[in-house]
Amino acid sequence: MKTRSVGPYEWEIPVGEVSGMRVPGRVFADARMLAKAREDRALEQVANVATLPGIVRASYAMPDIHWGYGFVVGGVAATDVDGGGVISPGGVGFDICCGVRLLRSELVLDDVRERLPDIAQRLGERIPRGVGTKGMLRLDRDELAGVMRDGAAWTVARGLGWESDLERCEDHGRLDGADPAAVSDRAFERGAPQCGSLGAGNHFLEIQLVDEIDDHDVADAFELREGMVCVMMHTGSRGLGHQVCTDELKVFDKLMRRSGIEVPDRQLACGPVEAPEGERYLAAMAAAANFARANRHALAHGVREVFADVLGRSAEDMGMRLVYDVAHNLAKIERYTVDGRERELCVHRKGATRAFGPGHPELADRYRDVGQPVIVPGSMGTGSYVLVGTDAGRDKAFWSTCHGAGRAMSRTQAKKRMGGQQVKADLLAAGVLVNATHPGLLAEEAPYAYKDVAQVVDTCEGAGLSRKVARLRPLAVIKG
Amino acid sequence: LAYRILDHTADIGIEATAPDIPALFSEAVRATAAVILDREPPEPTGHVPFAVDGDDLPTVLAALLGEALWAFESTGRLPVACRCEVSETTAAGTLDVVEDATIGGPAIKAVTYHQLSVEPAGHGWLARVIFDV
């Protein structure tokens, strides 16, 4: 796969490298990341995405790029809605609206040091996790439909979470256009018991400490200070989202054949955004996204309760306010000027985070002057980052940036290197408590199985996609 | 073994072989259970009926494995084999299950269409499936 350097940390895959490419591929990476992406065939997937009908400018890949199923992980693709552009359920993924939420607090390490094992233990008991887990909320069909329509606002209306949280969520915690009627009975059945659950795999909840501030002005706007205790959580739409994608993949596979659309990988199944199937998928995807927002909202409520119980102070008194909640698996209709004309685009972000720059009208007043917070979890036991969107990000990659460290090693390779118990012991020796339902599985998510998240966020900054605001280091990890 | 587990940077896959399609589908179910358990699956202790459809053999297989994952998620009973009749667009029969299986491997979220295939190979059939984990 040919690539050529087109700027600092920016590489182009020319049209023609894969048959049917409509636009070039554009990869944000340093030379080492690019070599790794080439090695695991992720570049081929970037080029495959460039064949989607209606795609504009380029098929983009963020620095945490790695091989996925169909779409590259770390991929961004925007299609022109009025120009026959397509939407692809595979370009969102099975875990629709998987994302990250960060709670800050006025607590410092001395406030929690002695009680940290208790807090980790209590969080482990309070937060449902693992495969097929039953969540904190048991919803009947009408309640679940309400969650799908109203997202985080549904949970707030029932006393879970704070009204002030909503302006600190992407889309104010509710993606417009959701229609529970577009969601199958099986998806209802899977979602009903799972709201307020963490799941398994790379999903986690972490107690963290802000240990470095890179941009003090923006950190002030985000209410972050060095030495502050925070809680980060990473999860998504659970079985409901998985089922929506499974159902729609089948629909789009058929639609694609009927429409005569050809793509190099069946998982890239797609159809016109404006086709009835496209509109229905957007409605079902939004319903799953709202479920994911409500899910993280319910979990945050559980976190606040545990801190309050253990430390004997109210969550309000401890200042446990939300910094932001943002997705990294979603397709959204956004407006951009392309080739001198303003267009409505369907922007797929698969393992990539929206990162609006300063002044964007969709941002809440609180963040409009500085830009959107972006929460980037590192691998288990390493640092995580808070970034902010930039002006330049709009033209670079439709206001998108990285979503994490990105895997560098398969699960089998990771397990061969070290057992889960050893990983746990090493983390403990490094001062990180671990509470996992399956300690043996920790090896799959060991820090060495991922790229260095610091290099990823530095590359994003070098490429102009986002800027660093703060670094957080883990104190305790709760895993499914 | 008539299956092998495929290593993948982010996800995981299976490859199964068998002399005919029903046996191939059963072997694919067994391989999926092996991923979840991280060991050779035990003998089944019960069974549940199933019926799935698709546009062709690969998507019928994807639907069958999706059904197996759903059975595990919703009931805790893990399918380790199947007995079924298969046409070009349907499969129906029983999933052979074990009760209270303990996860030893990665949590599978879903069955993807990425590199999904069911094709003749040698004197039998070969299937390949990549899971999202």
Side-chain angles (χ1 to χ4, degrees), chain B residues 3-105:
Chain B
Y3 68 82
R4 70 187 182 104
I5 293 170
L6 305 172
D7 217 13
H8 185 292
T9 309
D11 300 301
I12 203 158
I14 55 160
E15 210 171 70
T17 55
D20 55 51
I21 296 290
L24 182 77
F25 279 24
S26 183
E27 202 58 27
V29 171
R30 191 158 74 99
T32 305
V35 171
I36 291 168
L37 298 170
D38 198 27
R39 64 185 172 88
E40 178 62 11
E43 289 299 309
T45 54
H47 55 84
V48 293
F50 81 93
V52 294
D53 59 34
D55 278 349
D56 48 28
L57 281 174
T59 52
V60 173
L61 175 60
L64 165 63
L65 299 183
E67 202 66 17
L69 295 176
W70 164 239
F72 183 48
E73 178 184 306
S74 60
T75 67
R77 289 185 289 188
L78 178 66
V80 294
C82 72
R83 285 166 286 168
C84 60
E85 290 187 3
V86 183
S87 76
E88 194 64 29
T89 57
T90 62
T94 55
L95 289 164
D96 297 331
V97 299
V98 293
E99 305 284 339
D100 302 324
T102 304
I103 294 174

Side-chain angles (χ1 to χ4, degrees), chain A residues 77-336:
Chain A
T79 60
D80 184 356
V81 174
D82 292 332
V86 295
I87 186 163
S88 170
V92 173
F94 288 94
D95 198 353
I96 295 168
C97 198
C98 184
V100 196
R101 164 176 291 233
L102 183 68
L103 289 174
R104 48 81 76 198
S105 77
E106 292 296 333
L107 301 169
V108 297
L109 185 56
D110 281 347
D111 295 324
V112 299
R113 196 190 310 269
E114 298 295 319
R115 307 303 305 273
L116 203 55
D118 288 346
I119 296 172
Q121 175 70 26
R122 289 284 304 280
L123 284 173
E125 292 162 4
R126 181 80 175 94
I127 303 298
R129 55 211 164 115
V131 177
T133 318
K134 309 302 181 201
M136 293 161 61
L137 308 177
R138 302 296 169 88
L139 306 173
D140 64 26
R141 194 175 174 94
D142 286 345
E143 289 170 327
L144 182 53
V147 165
M148 290 190 225
R149 275 190 297 268
D150 296 333
W154 188 94
T155 51
V156 171
R158 277 143 191 88
L160 307 173
W162 305 341
E163 186 69 33
S164 62
D165 291 335
L166 297 178
E167 66 166 353
R168 298 161 189 250
C169 293
E170 181 182 10
D171 309 315
H172 297 259
R174 177 188 181 276
L175 186 55
D176 285 341
D179 183 4
V183 171
S184 70
D185 288 343
R186 173 69 62 88
F188 264 89
E189 205 175 338
R190 293 181 72 172
Q194 289 187 332
C195 195
S197 66
L198 196 58
N202 63 357
H203 293 165
F204 68 84
L205 191 153
E206 238 176 50
I207 304 170
Q208 304 174 331
L209 197 69
V210 179
D211 75 343
E212 187 179 291
I213 297 287
D214 293 282
D215 185 323
H216 287 273
D217 290 340
V218 179
D220 282 348
F222 293 173
E223 298 188 298
L224 291 172
R225 289 191 304 277
E226 197 167 336
M228 181 180 269
V229 173
C230 295
V231 180
M232 183 179 286
M233 56 203 81
H234 174 216
T235 187
S237 50
R238 310 284 285 107
L240 189 149
H242 307 169
Q243 191 62 43
V244 166
C245 184
T246 295
D247 294 338
E248 297 295 333
L249 190 57
K250 208 169 164 179
V251 170
F252 278 76
D253 189 59
K254 278 194 176 93
L255 172 64
M256 193 168 60
R257 292 184 200 193
R258 216 169 54 232
S259 310
I261 297 172
E262 289 185 16
V263 290
D265 186 321
R266 209 167 175 179
Q267 183 71 23
L268 296 178
C270 57
V273 180
E274 294 197 314
E277 292 88 344
E279 289 175 0
R280 201 188 74 151
Y281 171 68
L282 276 173
M285 182 205 72
N290 288 337
F291 179 89
R293 269 86 182 256
N295 185 34
R296 290 193 288 271
H297 221 77
L299 292 176
H301 176 73
V303 168
R304 284 171 173 152
E305 281 189 337
V306 167
F307 271 73
D309 284 353
V310 175
L311 298 176
R313 296 168 62 186
S314 72
E316 289 87 347
D317 182 45
M318 291 182 281
M320 296 188 75
R321 291 189 286 279
L322 188 56
V323 176
Y324 209 57
D325 179 295
V326 66
H328 48 234
N329 281 355
L330 210 54
K332 300 183 89 168
I333 305 299
E334 296 171 5
R335 296 193 77 83
Y336 293 90

Side-chain angles (χ1 to χ4, degrees), chain A residues 378-402:
Chain A
S379 57
M380 181 176 58
T382 65
S384 295
Y385 284 86
V386 177
L387 315 179
V388 65
T390 64
D391 283 324
R394 179 185 55 200
D395 294 332
K396 284 284 179 183
F398 300 113
W399 266 319
S400 308
T401 190
C402 64

